[in-house]
Amino acid sequence: MSEITLRNITKSYGSHLALPSLDLDIPKGSFVTLLGPSGCGKTTTLRVIAGLEQATTGEVVLGGKTVYSSGTGVFVPPERRGLGFIFQSYALWPNMKVDRNITLALSEAKQPKQVIEDRLTEALAKVQLTGLADRYPSELSGGQQQRVAVARLIAARNSILLMDEPLSNLDAKLRTEMRTELKRMHRELQATTVYVTHDQVEALTMSDIVVVMKDGVIQQQGSPYEIYHNPANLFVAEFIGDPRINLFEGILSMNGSDRILRFEDSTIPVPARLQCGDGPVTFAIRPENITIVERQGPFSLPAEVDIVQPTGSQTIISLSVKGQRVTVLIPRFETSLSRKNIWIEFPADQLTFFDKAGNRVPLQQPVLGASHAA
Amino acid sequence: MSEITLRNITKSYGSHLALPSLDLDIPKGSFVTLLGPSGCGKTTTLRVIAGLEQATTGEVVLGGKTVYSSGTGVFVPPERRGLGFIFQSYALWPNMKVDRNITLALSEAKQPKQVIEDRLTEALAKVQLTGLADRYPSELSGGQQQRVAVARLIAARNSILLMDEPLSNLDAKLRTEMRTELKRMHRELQATTVYVTHDQVEALTMSDIVVVMKDGVIQQQGSPYEIYHNPANLFVAEFIGDPRINLFEGILSMNGSDRILRFEDSTIPVPARLQCGDGPVTFAIRPENITIVERQGPFSLPAEVDIVQPTGSQTIISLSVKGQRVTVLIPRFETSLSRKNIWIEFPADQLTFFDKAGNRVPLQQPVLGASHAA
Amino acid sequence: QKSDPKWDAWLQKSQLGPYQKNENWDEVIANAKKEGEVVVYSSTGTMLKVAEDFGKFYPDIKVKAYDLGSEKTIEKVVREHQAGVYAADVVYSGGTEQMVFDLLPNHRIVNYVPSYLTDKIPAAHREPLLTHVIEAYGVFYNSETYPQPPIKTLWELTEPQWKGRFSMKSPAGSLTTLMMLASIVEHSDEMQKAYEQHYGKKLELSSGVENAGYEFLHRLIGNDIVISDNSSKIATAVGLRGQAKPPMAFSVIHYLTKNQSDNYANAVPYDLTPSALFSYPTYVAVAGQAPHSNAAKLFVAFLMGSKDLNGSSELKAPFRSGKSLELLQGMAAFYQVGTFSPRTDVPPPPYSEMWPKARKLTASPEFVRDNIAKISDFWMAETSR
Amino acid sequence: MTSSAAPVQTPSRVPSVRAVVGHLWHSFTQPERLLGILLAIVLAGLVLVPLFELIRETLTVQPYDRAYLPKAQPGEFTWFHYERVFAGRLSWAIFYKPFFNSLITAFTATIICLAFGAGFAWLIVRTNIPFRNFLHTLVMIPYMLPSWVMALAWITFFKNDRIGGASGAFAYFFGVQPPDWIAYGPIPIIICLSLHYYVYAYLSVSSSITSVDSQLEEAGAMAGLSRLKQFLWITAPLLLPAIGSAVVMTFIRVVGSFGTPAVLGMPVRYYVLPTQIYAAMGTRNAGDGFLLALVLVVLACLFIFINQRLIGVRKSFVTLSGKGFRSKEIDLGAWRWPLFILIMLLMTAAVAFPLVLLVLQSLIKTAGNYSLGNLTLHYWIGGGGEGVDQLQAALVDNGNIIDATWNSLKLAFLTAMTTGIFGFLIGYVVVRTRGSLTSRTLEMVAFLPYIFPALAFGAIYIGMFARPFGPIPALYGTFALLVLICSVKTLPFTSRTGIAALLQIDKSLEEAARVQGIGWFRRMIRIIVPIAAGGLLSGMLLSFISIMRELSLIILLVTPSTNVLAGVIYNYQNQDMPQLVGVATVLLVAIVIAVNLVVRAVSTKTRVGAV
Ligand SMILES: Nc1ncnc2c1ncn2[C@@H]1O[C@H](COP(=O)(O)OP(=O)(O)OP(=O)(O)O)[C@@H](O)[C@H]1O
Ligand SMILES: Nc1ncnc2c1ncn2[C@@H]1O[C@H](COP(=O)(O)OP(=O)(O)OP(=O)(O)O)[C@@H](O)[C@H]1O
Ligand SMILES: [Mg+2]
Ligand SMILES: [Mg+2]
């Protein structure tokens, strides 16, 4: 059953159309992440769900109950929707200390004192702010402030949680811990969660469903695997994955009974199941799927190393292949690649093709994870 | 020559000692990143450099000129230090439109109109906000606001740049682009840059020097490679690297002429050059350096798969090894590891040892990158 | 006026206006006690003292006296009546134009003269409205600096030696001051005579000026008159001892009492031509539809002084006690130089020996009605030049 | 309901009807809309009715007009007053000249007020100037003194021989008579008004300035702006709502103030609009008086309109977002003490001098004699003595003063409360519905009572509340009516400061509470009110102070048993008893200062406002 339904939602700010038309179904208990470039309407979508913003037209259904409908004029105000919300700007109350910021809603709901205290202690512990309950928000660092906002959500225990970049100001370690914490909360409360993030690792690791938006329009909606491996279009392909996927222009043609892809002077074999006619085509390959070899092979392309950027467990290598920039990711820490004579290879089964409109060309029988087994 | 020097800086807020004693030398033209857990004093350090906060004691020297000294009472106000600063909370002027926010400093400096216009256009283009010059900050999304803050810095072109988490609200793609942009600006202006981030990839890819702080105290200071591979202590080891490094307790002992490490029931060979006596020891290995094998080897440990989290080009696998939690990172997208019978192996040359105080045990002759060649 | 049955009924019930009979005072007092209170709207703070004194005689009747100043007294009565609220019993105020020509014909007030006083008050002071006291503006000079009056006629004030040295309260906002100007204008022929007598030549009117009264005002203002907002300060400015060149002024003459209390040296040149005194009445009346009409009558009678008061009554300061109070009653609080009862049988208060003999100019109600607006406009135009 | 009974064949109509009903219902469920409607109705009754009454009187024949219009019946329609005031022979004297005089004094005084007020506010709130708490109380005292005290002090000091009497202190000490232009006329008027009314700007700006995030100024510093430029380019524009309010309040109050121009202007015949209004009303020429007052009303509307334009709809003044607020003290460095001394000097002139004069006035037996033997405490503590007026009870057993003080306190307190609540609500609605017609009109209407001639306002309320009206019983003669009229009259203080304060609060602070299920009322109590409290309190304090001194507004409405302190002072003044005037005034000032101190102590203790 779907817990949150947005039907044909549009939202404009004056003449600016932030959401042209949005349809979204979020099943009960699922964890949905909204992903998309800055300014694409993620926050707006959350605000429409929460009722903080009224959609210009459309309908919002929460838990089977219509809470907004431009047709009938129904509007349930946010305070009666029973949601948890973390604001991108924290929205901490400057006049209250941390503890009061966290427990206000509880004490307003006339919870017993003991419960409030327990929840406060628990929430503070979870966000690792124990001991700072007595500070004012202005006496906290940026990350600490953000954690207070998270603690407020944790303490409230709502059944629908909306979080707008709740971890953006935290360091990796803390962020990983908080991620686990939020995920656990999600499980424990069986809470339907809509999560906005710009961090792909977060999106891909935490979500049941990832929704990729662009300019207020949903581009693709699916499991993290689908989004990563079968991007619906060029935009999704380029947006998901860090470093960015490599794109090339090639020409599909037949070479005898085999189909081949012509790219610059080389040819690359392609899967036969590709449902698309011959001619120019855009193809993409993720940096981690490009192999760097030290000997020229039949399908290898000569490359020159440009920049080497180690990121810890991996190293991003920018290469120049026949004048084109290619990014390769290797699973090692590397500060320099000294050798000049290197070649790269594109494994044929790792290529994704896009037609002229930018939509992915499907394969006849989609290949499921089989080739990814270690 | 060092451009920024902090000598024995302390800073307390009331009774809270945010910086107990800080010494820092930043060479001219270098790119220094401050890393550390939330609340460790990064922002405070930047603010002390900028003069927005007066250190309780100590001395600040900028470009050879003492701008603050608690001893002599010298204090040069921030407006005459000529720095660029990006605030963690953006600090956009809500009453001014985007263009004015960006150009105020320039028009104050009586720059010719043409220059101002050019710089505005350029800065807007660099942060990809062209066309939004006429909006008020409150009419922008969170990420757009942050980009205005960045554009303000770009347009001003100072020779010392201080940036406090300038990209925290941007998506991966934009962030990569902005990173490149900032790095280019750094190079073009030869600007000495102090950069605060919680994003390790950013820290490791952009910096000449990484400074890791904890509770206001510098834990280690060095190149990204040093920080990552030769963490000075347990804190740095744990803090740097995502997912977190694996830590184990073992016992060092001699097995004939070979030194071995006893861990649970197994033994692992260790480099002989380890400068440390026998006995209990903490050893660490990064997740990407653990190998998962399907057959039991001489030094392998049996493992059970707990959670599999694909992050795009990599997959984080949580295993349970004899009751202990072990994280492994594999360079593939993987949604599940079905096989039960797997083992892990610790390559001996990838182990780092820490003594009881948490400091790293050095090797007799440090091994340089050799083993990392592909 | 159209007949108004409700009004008529009230008049009849309260025995006022045409229904007024020779009062049976015992009955009135008994009824007044039954009514239990009397509400007085007054333009002066002295009424609070009268209220106190009234309480000594009739402790069963509570007096609620409001000190509002003249324009607010009138405003309050009018507004209340317009809203159908009849709260006031006695209305006490100067301002002929309003009291006589607005409130009276519009039934906001009704004239009430205790029957026993009819023959003791000249008709001009009881019809159309009962005058409670006559007050006056006088010309003041400093008798310490000038043992003899420095001027013989009002016209001398328009000469250069008094340039910037003559002051008066602004008539704008002060009905009584305006009344004084009205009396000067109304008696313009006397003004003219005084001029011609003094200078021995014909008065030449400035262009656009109507008569000698206006001409005097015109020249006075032209001679850099100093306008003040406060009478008491004027009295101080003139009368303070030790001044080399004290100014002269128009002042309410009851500030002569300051000569005793504050040792000032104010004096009035009683022989001035055409006159040094400009008198004006302050009226008292029963409010229309007064809820406590008997108490109101009693209060009015009390204000006017007792029956037993006569020219040979022995009155001793302080007047608000003992035998004097019994005789003066409501007059006691007013009994000082500058506030004179219209009753012919009341002895003048101390230091006012000159009062009965001195020449006084007074503006008639009709003249005020027809000209006061014009005079006020004239003043405004002249002073803003 | 219609939906269940609706026949199937008209499906297209049903939703539209329901939609309309739904939308209506919906707009009612939005607290700010509902409130807006309610407030509009209430204010229409309380403000627009008197306004129409004023306008009506300017358009009808008044009793006084008989002299000009012998044939007309009072109450008939006429343009007579308009012609007379704007186009007649006398229009120069009645209107144009005083009007220009007014504009000149008011503009100049407003500018000075703004400079003083904003400057003090910045110094005291933001910098480390010594004795900040003390200064905060000190700089408000000039407003607590009745405005005529200042004028009186001026006259006493600079009086020359033009008005005779004792020579002024200046002439006494220096042996020269100050020229007329120093003693009387526009310059002293401007100075006295400025020293009195800068407090509006001070209170309004100081409460706003506390909620300006220091980081915004710091960002200015990083952009290389000097301290002054940071203030001018960043802080001041962010304070625009507060400054705008201050300008509107100050200008309108200054342009409408009567006492000071009356004392200082009359000796040289320098007339301003209020003296003309007073004159017209005093001669019961209501038509002219109200028409002149309407000019002020129009002027006020114009000002508010300009103010609304300046503030705009899109521009944001939110300085209190939910993120990273910092408030930092600015180090004045070497300027600390010189600036402190400068303020102290100014305050000596504006506070100490008039205050000493007042105290002296209450101690002196006969005026003008300042010898020690001529001083007495009789009027304070009784005991009599030679040369005192034995009939005048001293303060300690003067039931008159004590009752009146109590009444004044009660009235001022209740008024401050009522007006505080309504001002806040109006501010809330105006800010939340910003840009809409409701917002603009509400803001304007809430300000109108400010410039109504007080006396006429009271008079009109007699008519409105003499009889029961709907659910409201007849209030005339009750204390409630006094509270009501005072609240309406001082509404501008709180609504203006309320608007300024609320403009600085980010909506998300309320939203954060909203999504957590905290209802409207609780949100206000817990979050918005505490954060806006600084601004609200200063507005309430202004109401309190002005009601403590108010007389003309309520004089027609009070009963003798509810006499107020200002009424007592007025009576004593009429009866020429300067000592008791001094006693009562000093008492008034002492009370206001005490209340101010208490309010401040309580508000810092509960940490009201942002910081
Ligand atoms: N005004 C203040 N009053 C009291 N304590 C403060 C104040 N400002 C900062 N602190 C404390 O000082 C410490 C350092 O703060 P700082 O802002 O420098 O942290 P940070 O390293 O920037 O953290 P983050 O990554 O969360 O932004 C924190 O523990 C914080 O709580
Ligand atoms: N009040 C407003 N007035 C005008 N435009 C607005 C307003 N609020 C948001 N917008 C615009 O609507 C679009 C969507 O904004 P939204 O805040 O939803 O973006 P977002 O996806 O949350 O971005 P980010 O990741 O940067 O926070 C943006 O282009 C923004 O500029
Ligand atoms: Mg957003
Ligand atoms: Mg920080």
Side-chain angles (χ1 to χ4, degrees), chain A residues 42-44 88 164-165 196, chain B residues 141-143:
Chain A
K42 305 181 292 291
T43 301
T44 308
Q88 194 169 6
D164 199 351
E165 314 208 355
V196 169
Chain B
S141 77

Side-chain angles (χ1 to χ4, degrees), chain A residues 135 138-144, chain B residues 13 16 18 38-44 88 165, chain D residues 326:
Chain A
R135 297 252 191 109
S138 61
E139 297 168 343
L140 296 178
S141 77
Q144 287 166 339
Chain B
Y13 291 107
H16 176 77
S38 169
C40 73
K42 305 180 294 290
T43 300
T44 307
Q88 192 169 9
E165 314 209 356
Chain D
R326 270 173 197 268

Side-chain angles (χ1 to χ4, degrees), chain D residues 578-591:
Chain D
Q579 295 89 349
L580 286 177
V581 170
V583 168
T585 313
V586 171
L587 186 68
L588 193 159
V589 172
I591 288 173

Side-chain angles (χ1 to χ4, degrees), chain C residues 66-67 72 74-76 79-80 83 85 101 172 221 224-225 227 232 237 240 243 258 373 377 380-381 384, chain D residues 57 66 68 84 90 97 162-163 165-166 266-267 269 271 276 279 284 466-467 476 556 558-560 571 576:
Chain C
Y66 293 77
D67 168 18
K72 288 172 212 125
I74 291 161
E75 182 83 38
K76 190 163 164 99
R79 293 288 180 172
E80 284 186 353
V85 173
F101 298 106
I221 294 166
D224 194 13
I225 189 169
I227 296 170
S232 149
L240 197 73
Q243 298 190 72
K258 287 204 164 206
D377 282 357
M380 187 150 32
S384 300
Chain D
E57 300 216 1
R66 269 185 320 238
Y68 308 100
R84 183 174 145 84
L90 281 169
K97 193 171 176 197
R162 181 173 174 83
I163 55 171
M266 261 194 223
R269 279 185 255 144
Y271 295 118
Q276 294 307 83
R284 290 202 36 77
R467 270 166 296 201
Y476 184 49
L556 294 183
V558 293
T559 54
N571 284 342
D576 206 21

Side-chain angles (χ1 to χ4, degrees), chain A residues 51 53-54 67-69 73-78 81, chain D residues 26 29-30 514:
Chain A
E53 210 81 64
Q54 272 188 42
V67 292
Y68 172 72
S69 160
V74 172
F75 179 75
V76 177
R81 294 191 184 183
Chain D
H26 170 208
T29 54
Q30 272 179 305
R514 209 168 173 198

Side-chain angles (χ1 to χ4, degrees), chain C residues 261-273:
Chain C
S261 67
D262 292 10
N263 192 27
Y264 289 163
N266 282 313
V268 177
Y270 289 104
D271 294 330
L272 209 64
T273 63

Side-chain angles (χ1 to χ4, degrees), chain A residues 13 16 18 37-45 88 165, chain B residues 132 135 138-144 169:
Chain A
Y13 291 106
H16 176 78
S38 170
C40 72
K42 305 181 292 291
T43 301
T44 308
T45 308
Q88 194 169 6
E165 314 208 355
Chain B
L132 297 190
R135 296 253 191 111
S138 61
E139 297 168 339
L140 296 178
S141 77
Q144 287 166 340
N169 268 289

